[in-house]
Amino acid sequence: MRDMPMFVTEYGVASLFLREIPYRSRAHIKIQSSQEPEKLLEECVSFCRMCGAQWCDAAGHEYLEKYPLITALWAMQCPREALGETDACLFPVKEQTVQQWLDIYNERMADIPNAAYMDSRDGRELLESGDGYFVHRNGTLLGIGKAKDDFIDTVIAVQSGAGETVVRALCGVLTDENVRLRVASANARAIRLYERLGFLKTAELSRWYRVL
């Protein structure tokens, strides 16, 4: 099922993220513009339900504050030099290993709000972008990640206590002085890790509310 970047009605414009419906029965709604957000939201939720969604969250308008907050999305940043180095090794995702990477991601991120399910299309994009990695030490898989330029997109530890090592290993492929990432406020464990490493919150990017 494909996303709808422009879902246009007489009440406004929204983006509908529908790709997770076949896997998790979830859909996400981002209100882009509306003078009647209540009616626009009703139409968005109704469409998502017809597509099979049993859960919807939404962001993009202050009207949504009447609904239960699921999570905020924060930007964090840290000087790369402050993170230090590690002896762990990075192995880029290859065609033979991309499914393993996806399986780990989907299993570990299933309970994290707004962590989208990744399918074969995402696997192809991962291979094309070349920014997906496995993190190993002495033949033991510590975790996986996704990083490029100045941005760490994904950090997942598969061994207890390996999160710091995974972050430091991913920094080895970054080229800018500062390291950026995004984290859900509901992911308290990840936030504790990043703050321990020296990351500071720099902005609140969005707030997501459950509307179905």
Side-chain angles (χ1 to χ4, degrees):
M1 187 170 294
R2 295 185 180 277
D3 297 335
M4 298 184 64
M6 298 290 286
F7 182 77
V8 182
T9 80
E10 61 181 303
Y11 304 117
V13 181
S15 298
L16 304 184
F17 304 94
L18 310 174
R19 295 178 59 181
E20 293 183 66
I21 292 177
Y23 309 103
R24 296 177 175 170
S25 301
R26 292 191 174 195
H28 311 284
I29 301 164
K30 182 68 176 292
I31 295 177
Q32 303 294 352
S33 62
S34 178
Q35 297 298 317
E36 298 183 77
E38 180 177 5
K39 293 181 178 179
L40 174 61
L41 184 64
E42 288 177 359
E43 291 202 347
C44 291
V45 171
S46 177
F47 185 88
C48 291
R49 292 184 70 173
M50 286 191 298
C51 292
Q54 299 176 15
W55 163 294
C56 289
D57 54 27
H61 200 284
E62 61 184 12
Y63 167 76
L64 298 169
E65 294 176 3
K66 62 179 289 185
Y67 292 93
L69 177 67
I70 301 300
T71 192
L73 188 63
W74 289 335
M76 302 187 77
Q77 184 170 299
C78 180
R80 185 158 60 96
E81 288 186 357
L83 293 170
E85 298 180 352
T86 178
D87 60 349
C89 299
L90 288 179
F91 293 88
V93 172
K94 301 295 184 181
E95 188 171 352
Q96 300 89 337
T97 60
V98 65
Q99 189 58 53
Q100 180 189 5
W101 197 99
L102 295 175
D103 289 343
I104 293 172
Y105 177 93
N106 288 327
E107 177 186 353
R108 298 283 175 154
M109 302 297 283
D111 296 326
I112 303 301
N114 292 89
Y117 185 93
M118 298 186 74
D119 59 19
S120 59
R121 289 172 293 184
D122 298 294
R124 291 192 294 271
E125 292 176 2
L126 196 65
L127 290 171
E128 291 173 1
S129 61
D131 56 357
Y133 298 93
F134 295 90
V135 182
H136 285 256
R137 176 187 283 130
N138 299 326
T140 299
L141 177 63
L142 302 180
I144 64 171
K146 189 170 183 283
K148 191 174 185 178
D149 297 329
D150 69 338
F151 188 69
I152 296 179
D153 183 79
T154 302
V155 175
I156 297 175
V158 300
Q159 300 289 338
S160 178
E164 291 188 17
T165 300
V166 173
V167 172
R168 291 190 175 107
L170 292 171
C171 286
V173 301
L174 302 183
T175 56
D176 286 21
E177 294 182 358
N178 292 310
V179 178
R180 298 183 303 113
L181 54 79
R182 291 189 296 261
V183 63
S185 63
N187 193 352
R189 185 175 181 179
I191 292 171
R192 288 195 298 269
L193 166 65
Y194 298 143
E195 289 181 337
R196 188 165 65 247
L197 287 168
F199 282 87
L200 299 175
K201 301 182 185 75
T202 57
E204 182 179 272
L205 303 175
S206 59
R207 290 191 174 194
W208 292 85
Y209 301 85
R210 183 168 181 181
V211 295
L212 173 62

